[in-house]
Amino acid sequence: MMKSAFTALAIACLSAPAFPQAELSVAEKADAPVIARVNGMVCDFCAQAVTKVFGREDAVQRVEVDLNDGAIRIAMKPGEDLDDARIAELIKKSGYALVEIERPAA
């Protein structure tokens, strides 16, 4: 009985997006977020942990996690940035494995 309840919970976590996808405005498209692709995020608790860790950074304005794509979208405050090494460090601190970092075209 316990095993089937856990399985149902795991399936629900895997199928539900962490945050609804919103259409970006023209201004937001100009300031496209850095996208970090990771392995290991499977549920809303994973998304909350990552959001909390990145949210502590002064340069970060907003964090969105897409569990289906294994992507963390990190929007920076105007004039601010996090280098790839810091992003990798924060992902590792959150308990996940970094696959790649995509930066918007200049």
Side-chain angles (χ1 to χ4, degrees), residues 3-62:
K3 189 174 182 179
S4 63
F6 178 75
T7 302
L9 177 62
I11 291 170
C13 287
L14 288 172
S15 62
F19 298 101
Q21 296 297 317
E23 189 67 29
L24 295 177
S25 70
V26 173
E28 289 174 319
K29 287 179 184 176
D31 296 321
V34 173
I35 299 172
R37 300 215 182 267
V38 300
N39 286 329
M41 293 188 308
V42 296
C43 67
D44 285 338
F45 293 111
C46 299
Q48 290 173 13
V50 168
T51 301
K52 186 175 181 179
V53 168
F54 277 93
R56 291 184 186 132
E57 294 294 307
D58 290 336
V60 175
Q61 180 174 329
R62 184 180 73 249

Side-chain angles (χ1 to χ4, degrees), residues 67-105:
L67 295 173
N68 294 327
D69 291 339
I72 304 168
R73 289 177 180 79
I74 310 153
M76 305 299 170
K77 292 178 182 172
E80 298 287 335
D81 194 19
L82 289 177
D83 63 23
D84 289 358
R86 182 63 181 154
I87 291 171
E89 180 182 333
L90 293 171
I91 289 169
K92 184 176 180 179
K93 182 178 180 177
S94 299
Y96 304 102
L98 176 66
V99 175
E100 69 177 336
I101 297 174
E102 299 173 15
R103 292 200 173 260

